Amino acid sequence: MRCVAVFVGINHASAKLDFANNVQLSLTLAALSLGLWWTFDRSRSGLGLGITIAFLATLITQLLVYNGVYQYTSPDFLYIRSWLPCIFFSGGVTVGNIGRQLAMGVPEKPHSD
């Protein structure tokens, strides 16, 4: 649950915080995303999943923007915003942690009716 809260915080920060330029925003979000992975996962598979999701989702987004399906008002990195891979990375780590917790099969507490 804490991982999801940090992910929501990273998303909120990308939308609400004002930085001097997009490089500062991108580097800050990259550090926060790696911090999310380091705090809640620390596994090679989690890092690999985050990087893979970030790469594939960014590639798909670039293709959609390039083909005119949608567009950004001020793209700054190959048709998209430069901070988008950081959001995809932290989302991949978060979803991977949720999947891992579900796969572990935490026993349910008995109900007292």
Side-chain angles (χ1 to χ4, degrees):
M1 191 57 117
R2 288 177 288 175
C3 185
V4 173
V6 172
F7 174 67
V8 170
I10 290 172
N11 281 323
H12 188 71
S14 70
K16 296 293 181 180
L17 294 179
D18 290 328
F19 286 87
N21 55 33
N22 284 327
V23 174
Q24 283 182 336
L25 175 61
S26 298
L27 291 176
T28 302
L29 289 178
L32 288 172
S33 298
L34 286 174
L36 178 124
W37 170 77
W38 183 258
T39 303
F40 297 108
D41 195 343
R42 292 189 194 178
S43 68
R44 287 186 193 175
S45 61
L47 182 64
L49 178 69
I51 290 171
T52 303
I53 294 295
F55 177 76
L56 291 176
T58 302
L59 180 67
I60 290 168
T61 304
Q62 286 177 337
L63 290 173
L64 290 173
V65 171
Y66 181 76
N67 289 322
V69 176
Y70 63 91
Q71 65 183 9
Y72 289 97
T73 55
S74 56
D76 58 354
F77 174 71
L78 299 174
Y79 307 112
I80 62 168
R81 301 301 303 249
S82 60
W83 46 262
L84 197 58
C86 300
I87 299 298
F88 288 142
F89 175 85
S90 58
V93 170
T94 302
V95 171
N97 278 334
I98 291 170
R100 185 177 298 124
Q101 292 296 318
L102 290 173
M104 289 172 57
V106 178
E108 292 184 23
K109 294 180 181 177
H111 296 286
S112 57
D113 293 340

mmCIF file of all heavy atoms in Angstrom, residues 20-58:
data_model
loop_
_atom_site.group_PDB
_atom_site.id
_atom_site.type_symbol
_atom_site.label_atom_id
_atom_site.label_comp_id
_atom_site.label_asym_id
_atom_site.label_seq_id
_atom_site.Cartn_x
_atom_site.Cartn_y
_atom_site.Cartn_z
ATOM 1 N N ALA A 20 12.498 24.848 -12.961
ATOM 2 C CA ALA A 20 13.046 25.847 -13.873
ATOM 3 C C ALA A 20 13.047 25.341 -15.312
ATOM 4 O O ALA A 20 12.814 26.107 -16.243
ATOM 5 C CB ALA A 20 14.452 26.237 -13.440
ATOM 6 N N ASN A 21 13.320 24.051 -15.484
ATOM 7 C CA ASN A 21 13.302 23.467 -16.830
ATOM 8 C C ASN A 21 12.944 21.983 -16.730
ATOM 9 O O ASN A 21 12.865 21.419 -15.639
ATOM 10 C CB ASN A 21 14.652 23.671 -17.544
ATOM 11 C CG ASN A 21 15.815 23.138 -16.741
ATOM 12 O OD1 ASN A 21 15.678 22.155 -16.024
ATOM 13 N ND2 ASN A 21 16.950 23.793 -16.841
ATOM 14 N N ASN A 22 12.742 21.365 -17.872
ATOM 15 C CA ASN A 22 12.322 19.958 -17.899
ATOM 16 C C ASN A 22 13.437 19.006 -17.516
ATOM 17 O O ASN A 22 13.166 17.889 -17.088
ATOM 18 C CB ASN A 22 11.785 19.601 -19.282
ATOM 19 C CG ASN A 22 10.401 20.149 -19.497
ATOM 20 O OD1 ASN A 22 9.622 20.240 -18.557
ATOM 21 N ND2 ASN A 22 10.087 20.520 -20.720
ATOM 22 N N VAL A 23 14.683 19.426 -17.636
ATOM 23 C CA VAL A 23 15.799 18.562 -17.237
ATOM 24 C C VAL A 23 15.757 18.348 -15.722
ATOM 25 O O VAL A 23 15.923 17.223 -15.242
ATOM 26 C CB VAL A 23 17.143 19.154 -17.696
ATOM 27 C CG1 VAL A 23 18.304 18.344 -17.152
ATOM 28 C CG2 VAL A 23 17.212 19.225 -19.212
ATOM 29 N N GLN A 24 15.527 19.419 -14.964
ATOM 30 C CA GLN A 24 15.418 19.279 -13.510
ATOM 31 C C GLN A 24 14.252 18.374 -13.133
ATOM 32 O O GLN A 24 14.382 17.520 -12.248
ATOM 33 C CB GLN A 24 15.216 20.639 -12.857
ATOM 34 C CG GLN A 24 16.449 21.469 -12.755
ATOM 35 C CD GLN A 24 16.173 22.782 -12.042
ATOM 36 O OE1 GLN A 24 15.038 23.248 -12.014
ATOM 37 N NE2 GLN A 24 17.207 23.363 -11.456
ATOM 38 N N LEU A 25 13.109 18.551 -13.783
ATOM 39 C CA LEU A 25 11.945 17.711 -13.505
ATOM 40 C C LEU A 25 12.252 16.251 -13.822
ATOM 41 O O LEU A 25 11.958 15.360 -13.022
ATOM 42 C CB LEU A 25 10.742 18.187 -14.316
ATOM 43 C CG LEU A 25 9.475 17.340 -14.232
ATOM 44 C CD1 LEU A 25 8.954 17.287 -12.808
ATOM 45 C CD2 LEU A 25 8.413 17.875 -15.175
ATOM 46 N N SER A 26 12.861 16.005 -14.970
ATOM 47 C CA SER A 26 13.167 14.628 -15.378
ATOM 48 C C SER A 26 14.163 13.972 -14.426
ATOM 49 O O SER A 26 13.987 12.807 -14.050
ATOM 50 C CB SER A 26 13.716 14.609 -16.801
ATOM 51 O OG SER A 26 12.764 15.099 -17.699
ATOM 52 N N LEU A 27 15.198 14.697 -14.028
ATOM 53 C CA LEU A 27 16.185 14.130 -13.118
ATOM 54 C C LEU A 27 15.596 13.888 -11.725
ATOM 55 O O LEU A 27 15.895 12.876 -11.090
ATOM 56 C CB LEU A 27 17.407 15.040 -13.025
ATOM 57 C CG LEU A 27 18.260 15.120 -14.291
ATOM 58 C CD1 LEU A 27 19.378 16.135 -14.111
ATOM 59 C CD2 LEU A 27 18.822 13.753 -14.654
ATOM 60 N N THR A 28 14.745 14.794 -11.270
ATOM 61 C CA THR A 28 14.091 14.605 -9.974
ATOM 62 C C THR A 28 13.180 13.389 -10.004
ATOM 63 O O THR A 28 13.195 12.561 -9.079
ATOM 64 C CB THR A 28 13.292 15.859 -9.595
ATOM 65 O OG1 THR A 28 14.178 16.976 -9.554
ATOM 66 C CG2 THR A 28 12.608 15.689 -8.259
ATOM 67 N N LEU A 29 12.389 13.262 -11.062
ATOM 68 C CA LEU A 29 11.492 12.102 -11.163
ATOM 69 C C LEU A 29 12.269 10.806 -11.341
ATOM 70 O O LEU A 29 11.851 9.760 -10.838
ATOM 71 C CB LEU A 29 10.503 12.307 -12.303
ATOM 72 C CG LEU A 29 9.435 13.368 -12.052
ATOM 73 C CD1 LEU A 29 8.540 13.510 -13.261
ATOM 74 C CD2 LEU A 29 8.621 13.036 -10.826
ATOM 75 N N ALA A 30 13.395 10.848 -12.047
ATOM 76 C CA ALA A 30 14.227 9.651 -12.182
ATOM 77 C C ALA A 30 14.760 9.224 -10.817
ATOM 78 O O ALA A 30 14.748 8.036 -10.474
ATOM 79 C CB ALA A 30 15.370 9.903 -13.157
ATOM 80 N N ALA A 31 15.215 10.190 -10.019
ATOM 81 C CA ALA A 31 15.717 9.863 -8.675
ATOM 82 C C ALA A 31 14.598 9.325 -7.790
ATOM 83 O O ALA A 31 14.796 8.342 -7.057
ATOM 84 C CB ALA A 31 16.350 11.102 -8.046
ATOM 85 N N LEU A 32 13.411 9.934 -7.866
ATOM 86 C CA LEU A 32 12.282 9.441 -7.070
ATOM 87 C C LEU A 32 11.860 8.038 -7.511
ATOM 88 O O LEU A 32 11.529 7.193 -6.675
ATOM 89 C CB LEU A 32 11.099 10.400 -7.185
ATOM 90 C CG LEU A 32 11.241 11.741 -6.468
ATOM 91 C CD1 LEU A 32 10.087 12.659 -6.830
ATOM 92 C CD2 LEU A 32 11.326 11.542 -4.973
ATOM 93 N N SER A 33 11.891 7.784 -8.806
ATOM 94 C CA SER A 33 11.513 6.460 -9.319
ATOM 95 C C SER A 33 12.507 5.396 -8.884
ATOM 96 O O SER A 33 12.120 4.296 -8.488
ATOM 97 C CB SER A 33 11.402 6.491 -10.835
ATOM 98 O OG SER A 33 10.396 7.379 -11.247
ATOM 99 N N LEU A 34 13.790 5.707 -8.966
ATOM 100 C CA LEU A 34 14.796 4.758 -8.484
ATOM 101 C C LEU A 34 14.698 4.575 -6.975
ATOM 102 O O LEU A 34 14.906 3.474 -6.458
ATOM 103 C CB LEU A 34 16.196 5.219 -8.882
ATOM 104 C CG LEU A 34 16.534 5.035 -10.353
ATOM 105 C CD1 LEU A 34 17.884 5.672 -10.663
ATOM 106 C CD2 LEU A 34 16.534 3.572 -10.739
ATOM 107 N N GLY A 35 14.374 5.655 -6.267
ATOM 108 C CA GLY A 35 14.157 5.549 -4.826
ATOM 109 C C GLY A 35 12.972 4.658 -4.497
ATOM 110 O O GLY A 35 13.013 3.893 -3.530
ATOM 111 N N LEU A 36 11.918 4.734 -5.305
ATOM 112 C CA LEU A 36 10.767 3.852 -5.109
ATOM 113 C C LEU A 36 11.180 2.398 -5.301
ATOM 114 O O LEU A 36 10.834 1.540 -4.486
ATOM 115 C CB LEU A 36 9.655 4.215 -6.095
ATOM 116 C CG LEU A 36 8.417 3.343 -6.026
ATOM 117 C CD1 LEU A 36 7.196 4.221 -5.777
ATOM 118 C CD2 LEU A 36 8.215 2.591 -7.309
ATOM 119 N N TRP A 37 11.957 2.127 -6.350
ATOM 120 C CA TRP A 37 12.426 0.755 -6.577
ATOM 121 C C TRP A 37 13.329 0.306 -5.416
ATOM 122 O O TRP A 37 13.191 -0.811 -4.916
ATOM 123 C CB TRP A 37 13.189 0.669 -7.897
ATOM 124 C CG TRP A 37 13.894 -0.630 -8.056
ATOM 125 C CD1 TRP A 37 13.340 -1.820 -8.398
ATOM 126 C CD2 TRP A 37 15.287 -0.878 -7.836
ATOM 127 N NE1 TRP A 37 14.309 -2.798 -8.406
ATOM 128 C CE2 TRP A 37 15.504 -2.247 -8.070
ATOM 129 C CE3 TRP A 37 16.365 -0.083 -7.478
ATOM 130 C CZ2 TRP A 37 16.761 -2.816 -7.950
ATOM 131 C CZ3 TRP A 37 17.611 -0.659 -7.357
ATOM 132 C CH2 TRP A 37 17.791 -2.019 -7.587
ATOM 133 N N TRP A 38 14.253 1.164 -4.994
ATOM 134 C CA TRP A 38 15.188 0.801 -3.938
ATOM 135 C C TRP A 38 14.466 0.563 -2.604
ATOM 136 O O TRP A 38 14.791 -0.357 -1.862
ATOM 137 C CB TRP A 38 16.241 1.886 -3.775
ATOM 138 C CG TRP A 38 17.277 1.567 -2.752
ATOM 139 C CD1 TRP A 38 17.374 2.041 -1.486
ATOM 140 C CD2 TRP A 38 18.374 0.663 -2.913
ATOM 141 N NE1 TRP A 38 18.448 1.512 -0.842
ATOM 142 C CE2 TRP A 38 19.090 0.656 -1.700
ATOM 143 C CE3 TRP A 38 18.822 -0.133 -3.956
ATOM 144 C CZ2 TRP A 38 20.223 -0.119 -1.511
ATOM 145 C CZ3 TRP A 38 19.951 -0.903 -3.765
ATOM 146 C CH2 TRP A 38 20.637 -0.891 -2.555
ATOM 147 N N THR A 39 13.468 1.363 -2.307
ATOM 148 C CA THR A 39 12.767 1.253 -1.036
ATOM 149 C C THR A 39 11.851 0.045 -0.976
ATOM 150 O O THR A 39 11.807 -0.654 0.038
ATOM 151 C CB THR A 39 11.939 2.533 -0.775
ATOM 152 O OG1 THR A 39 12.814 3.659 -0.815
ATOM 153 C CG2 THR A 39 11.236 2.475 0.565
ATOM 154 N N PHE A 40 11.129 -0.226 -2.065
ATOM 155 C CA PHE A 40 10.083 -1.242 -2.008
ATOM 156 C C PHE A 40 10.404 -2.543 -2.738
ATOM 157 O O PHE A 40 9.663 -3.507 -2.593
ATOM 158 C CB PHE A 40 8.771 -0.670 -2.556
ATOM 159 C CG PHE A 40 8.243 0.463 -1.739
ATOM 160 C CD1 PHE A 40 8.296 1.745 -2.216
ATOM 161 C CD2 PHE A 40 7.716 0.235 -0.483
ATOM 162 C CE1 PHE A 40 7.823 2.802 -1.462
ATOM 163 C CE2 PHE A 40 7.244 1.278 0.278
ATOM 164 C CZ PHE A 40 7.300 2.567 -0.214
ATOM 165 N N ASP A 41 11.472 -2.592 -3.529
ATOM 166 C CA ASP A 41 11.700 -3.804 -4.310
ATOM 167 C C ASP A 41 13.126 -4.335 -4.156
ATOM 168 O O ASP A 41 13.347 -5.391 -3.591
ATOM 169 C CB ASP A 41 11.396 -3.527 -5.786
ATOM 170 C CG ASP A 41 11.245 -4.786 -6.599
ATOM 171 O OD1 ASP A 41 11.675 -5.857 -6.144
ATOM 172 O OD2 ASP A 41 10.699 -4.707 -7.695
ATOM 173 N N ARG A 42 14.086 -3.643 -4.697
ATOM 174 C CA ARG A 42 15.512 -4.008 -4.673
ATOM 175 C C ARG A 42 15.840 -5.328 -5.363
ATOM 176 O O ARG A 42 16.869 -5.927 -5.089
ATOM 177 C CB ARG A 42 16.054 -4.053 -3.249
ATOM 178 C CG ARG A 42 16.130 -2.724 -2.589
ATOM 179 C CD ARG A 42 16.867 -2.831 -1.289
ATOM 180 N NE ARG A 42 16.650 -1.612 -0.513
ATOM 181 C CZ ARG A 42 17.137 -1.411 0.682
ATOM 182 N NH1 ARG A 42 17.865 -2.331 1.260
ATOM 183 N NH2 ARG A 42 16.896 -0.289 1.313
ATOM 184 N N SER A 43 14.997 -5.799 -6.238
ATOM 185 C CA SER A 43 15.306 -7.044 -6.938
ATOM 186 C C SER A 43 15.697 -6.743 -8.378
ATOM 187 O O SER A 43 15.303 -5.724 -8.948
ATOM 188 C CB SER A 43 14.097 -7.988 -6.923
ATOM 189 O OG SER A 43 13.055 -7.459 -7.718
ATOM 190 N N ARG A 44 16.493 -7.633 -8.946
ATOM 191 C CA ARG A 44 16.874 -7.468 -10.357
ATOM 192 C C ARG A 44 15.668 -7.596 -11.268
ATOM 193 O O ARG A 44 15.551 -6.890 -12.256
ATOM 194 C CB ARG A 44 17.904 -8.526 -10.748
ATOM 195 C CG ARG A 44 19.250 -8.286 -10.179
ATOM 196 C CD ARG A 44 20.222 -9.288 -10.725
ATOM 197 N NE ARG A 44 21.449 -9.275 -9.961
ATOM 198 C CZ ARG A 44 22.432 -10.096 -10.149
ATOM 199 N NH1 ARG A 44 22.336 -11.033 -11.073
ATOM 200 N NH2 ARG A 44 23.517 -10.014 -9.419
ATOM 201 N N SER A 45 14.767 -8.498 -10.917
ATOM 202 C CA SER A 45 13.573 -8.671 -11.750
ATOM 203 C C SER A 45 12.693 -7.431 -11.704
ATOM 204 O O SER A 45 12.111 -7.034 -12.710
ATOM 205 C CB SER A 45 12.790 -9.901 -11.314
ATOM 206 O OG SER A 45 12.346 -9.773 -9.980
ATOM 207 N N GLY A 46 12.601 -6.785 -10.549
ATOM 208 C CA GLY A 46 11.828 -5.550 -10.441
ATOM 209 C C GLY A 46 12.450 -4.422 -11.245
ATOM 210 O O GLY A 46 11.752 -3.660 -11.921
ATOM 211 N N LEU A 47 13.777 -4.323 -11.185
ATOM 212 C CA LEU A 47 14.479 -3.309 -11.969
ATOM 213 C C LEU A 47 14.316 -3.581 -13.461
ATOM 214 O O LEU A 47 14.029 -2.672 -14.243
ATOM 215 C CB LEU A 47 15.957 -3.273 -11.589
ATOM 216 C CG LEU A 47 16.808 -2.230 -12.297
ATOM 217 C CD1 LEU A 47 16.353 -0.834 -11.931
ATOM 218 C CD2 LEU A 47 18.271 -2.427 -11.945
ATOM 219 N N GLY A 48 14.458 -4.852 -13.836
ATOM 220 C CA GLY A 48 14.289 -5.219 -15.242
ATOM 221 C C GLY A 48 12.880 -4.969 -15.744
ATOM 222 O O GLY A 48 12.673 -4.477 -16.861
ATOM 223 N N LEU A 49 11.895 -5.287 -14.907
ATOM 224 C CA LEU A 49 10.508 -5.041 -15.275
ATOM 225 C C LEU A 49 10.254 -3.548 -15.450
ATOM 226 O O LEU A 49 9.631 -3.126 -16.428
ATOM 227 C CB LEU A 49 9.565 -5.606 -14.207
ATOM 228 C CG LEU A 49 8.075 -5.368 -14.461
ATOM 229 C CD1 LEU A 49 7.597 -6.182 -15.648
ATOM 230 C CD2 LEU A 49 7.279 -5.704 -13.223
ATOM 231 N N GLY A 50 10.751 -2.737 -14.527
ATOM 232 C CA GLY A 50 10.565 -1.292 -14.625
ATOM 233 C C GLY A 50 11.205 -0.710 -15.871
ATOM 234 O O GLY A 50 10.603 0.111 -16.572
ATOM 235 N N ILE A 51 12.429 -1.132 -16.171
ATOM 236 C CA ILE A 51 13.123 -0.627 -17.363
ATOM 237 C C ILE A 51 12.416 -1.087 -18.628
ATOM 238 O O ILE A 51 12.234 -0.317 -19.578
ATOM 239 C CB ILE A 51 14.601 -1.072 -17.343
ATOM 240 C CG1 ILE A 51 15.347 -0.330 -16.233
ATOM 241 C CG2 ILE A 51 15.272 -0.822 -18.687
ATOM 242 C CD1 ILE A 51 16.744 -0.827 -15.983
ATOM 243 N N THR A 52 11.990 -2.352 -18.664
ATOM 244 C CA THR A 52 11.290 -2.872 -19.838
ATOM 245 C C THR A 52 9.972 -2.147 -20.073
ATOM 246 O O THR A 52 9.661 -1.740 -21.198
ATOM 247 C CB THR A 52 11.047 -4.384 -19.684
ATOM 248 O OG1 THR A 52 12.304 -5.041 -19.486
ATOM 249 C CG2 THR A 52 10.365 -4.955 -20.907
ATOM 250 N N ILE A 53 9.197 -1.969 -19.015
ATOM 251 C CA ILE A 53 7.923 -1.253 -19.124
ATOM 252 C C ILE A 53 8.164 0.182 -19.579
ATOM 253 O O ILE A 53 7.455 0.700 -20.446
ATOM 254 C CB ILE A 53 7.158 -1.284 -17.789
ATOM 255 C CG1 ILE A 53 6.723 -2.698 -17.447
ATOM 256 C CG2 ILE A 53 5.965 -0.337 -17.813
ATOM 257 C CD1 ILE A 53 5.715 -3.296 -18.386
ATOM 258 N N ALA A 54 9.152 0.838 -18.991
ATOM 259 C CA ALA A 54 9.445 2.229 -19.368
ATOM 260 C C ALA A 54 9.833 2.319 -20.840
ATOM 261 O O ALA A 54 9.360 3.212 -21.558
ATOM 262 C CB ALA A 54 10.560 2.795 -18.494
ATOM 263 N N PHE A 55 10.663 1.398 -21.314
ATOM 264 C CA PHE A 55 11.099 1.432 -22.707
ATOM 265 C C PHE A 55 9.939 1.154 -23.655
ATOM 266 O O PHE A 55 9.706 1.905 -24.614
ATOM 267 C CB PHE A 55 12.230 0.422 -22.930
ATOM 268 C CG PHE A 55 12.675 0.350 -24.357
ATOM 269 C CD1 PHE A 55 13.465 1.345 -24.897
ATOM 270 C CD2 PHE A 55 12.293 -0.714 -25.169
ATOM 271 C CE1 PHE A 55 13.862 1.291 -26.229
ATOM 272 C CE2 PHE A 55 12.684 -0.780 -26.487
ATOM 273 C CZ PHE A 55 13.477 0.222 -27.021
ATOM 274 N N LEU A 56 9.202 0.071 -23.401
ATOM 275 C CA LEU A 56 8.115 -0.301 -24.310
ATOM 276 C C LEU A 56 6.971 0.712 -24.301
ATOM 277 O O LEU A 56 6.436 1.072 -25.354
ATOM 278 C CB LEU A 56 7.597 -1.690 -23.960
ATOM 279 C CG LEU A 56 8.553 -2.849 -24.238
ATOM 280 C CD1 LEU A 56 7.948 -4.161 -23.760
ATOM 281 C CD2 LEU A 56 8.909 -2.924 -25.707
ATOM 282 N N ALA A 57 6.586 1.176 -23.122
ATOM 283 C CA ALA A 57 5.488 2.146 -23.049
ATOM 284 C C ALA A 57 5.881 3.472 -23.689
ATOM 285 O O ALA A 57 5.061 4.108 -24.367
ATOM 286 C CB ALA A 57 5.072 2.352 -21.599
ATOM 287 N N THR A 58 7.140 3.891 -23.515
ATOM 288 C CA THR A 58 7.598 5.121 -24.161
ATOM 289 C C THR A 58 7.634 4.952 -25.671
ATOM 290 O O THR A 58 7.229 5.861 -26.413
ATOM 291 C CB THR A 58 8.987 5.508 -23.629
ATOM 292 O OG1 THR A 58 8.909 5.662 -22.211
ATOM 293 C CG2 THR A 58 9.469 6.806 -24.244
#
